[in-house]
Amino acid sequence: MGVTRTEIFTEKQNEIAKIAKVIGHPARVAILQYLIKTNSCVCGDLVDEIGLAQPTISQHLKELKNVGVIKGTISGTSVCYCIDTENWNELTSGLLELISFNVADNNSCC
Amino acid sequence: MGVTRTEIFTEKQNEIAKIAKVIGHPARVAILQYLIKTNSCVCGDLVDEIGLAQPTISQHLKELKNVGVIKGTISGTSVCYCIDTENWNELTSGLLELISFNVADNNSCC
DNA sequence: TTTATTTATTGCAATATTACAATTAAATGA
DNA sequence: TCATTTAATTGTAATATTGCAATAAATAAA
């Protein structure tokens, strides 16, 4: 008990939940926004940009990387992170479909 | 420690995270999909539809209601739930904007 | 080699989430 | 009124998440 019962849901439902979950923390939203805004790779300045300790940022980056939404390449002593544009569309498509449904088509009867 | 430091993020970042977080569980994805699919109000059959116990479903419904994404009206001994179409667009706009950014505009340098 | 620099990992404490049994609450029908 | 139905609440156990100090690892520069 206490653990999400993924086995009773469809693969698609689990995938949507997975991407939504990783976006479901303001630090990770901030990281994604920053990576998109700078439109290029960012190394350690995420720690300065966001006001969290370096290990905490590192942990959030790891989660984003595990889902596949960002990637990082080592460049000297620093690591260069950026949006994984190859995966982005496929990862977000299910969530996009869910939230962009046309509310006008819905007769909310209550 | 252990608690999300919402105060260091912008209101928008917290809002995006909040809606993403509530979608970040397959049971709540399933509930939303079912409410959208049936295109009308749903009462207690969510417990049958999804394979979780009644208190668990009730708890997930409460979280969705707290965020404002669904609403419920009492109808006899049962409760009629549906998507809150008035709130939907505003609640999801930030998340929609974030995930629908054009990857072609991004020069992922790593 | 030694010293910075930068990031990852480990370990831990505090808190949050998930799930369900048991119970309560509220409304309907007999 | 009393039983039935349906959903919410309470309490609890298991697990996950968040955050950071301390440390380790890896590379670059002196």
Side-chain angles (χ1 to χ4, degrees), chain A residues 1 4 9 27 43-44 50 58 63 76 78 94 97 101 104-107:
Chain A
M1 309 129 188
T4 299
F9 301 103
C43 306
I50 303 164
S58 191
E63 283 172 68
S78 57
E97 189 189 5
F101 99 101
D105 294 345
N106 192 280
N107 55 350

Side-chain angles (χ1 to χ4, degrees), chain B:
Chain B
M1 309 126 191
V3 64
T4 299
R5 295 185 52 194
T6 52
E7 75 280 3
I8 66 169
F9 301 103
T10 68
E11 206 175 320
K12 189 169 182 180
Q13 286 166 340
N14 284 316
E15 279 172 5
I16 292 172
K18 198 174 172 186
I19 183 70
K21 189 177 186 179
V22 89
I23 302 176
H25 190 287
R28 294 191 290 265
V29 170
I31 290 171
L32 292 175
Q33 285 178 333
Y34 190 70
L35 290 179
I36 291 170
K37 190 187 73 181
T38 57
N39 198 26
S40 69
C41 296
V42 169
C43 309
D45 30 74
L46 281 165
V47 177
D48 304 319
E49 181 71 13
I50 304 163
L52 291 171
Q54 180 267 322
T56 309
I57 296 293
S58 191
Q59 194 179 313
H60 285 303
L61 286 168
K62 192 179 177 183
E63 283 173 67
L64 288 166
K65 210 165 52 176
N66 284 343
V67 171
V69 86
I70 68 168
K71 57 181 173 176
T73 46
I74 297 167
S75 156
T77 52
S78 58
V79 178
C80 188
Y81 282 104
C82 63
I83 302 290
D84 192 335
T85 52
E86 296 211 8
N87 288 338
W88 185 271
N89 284 341
E90 197 185 330
L91 282 172
T92 58
S93 66
L95 179 59
L96 187 63
E97 189 190 3
L98 175 63
I99 66 174
S100 63
F101 100 101
N102 192 349
V103 293
D105 294 344
N106 191 280
N107 55 350
S108 52
C109 61
C110 55

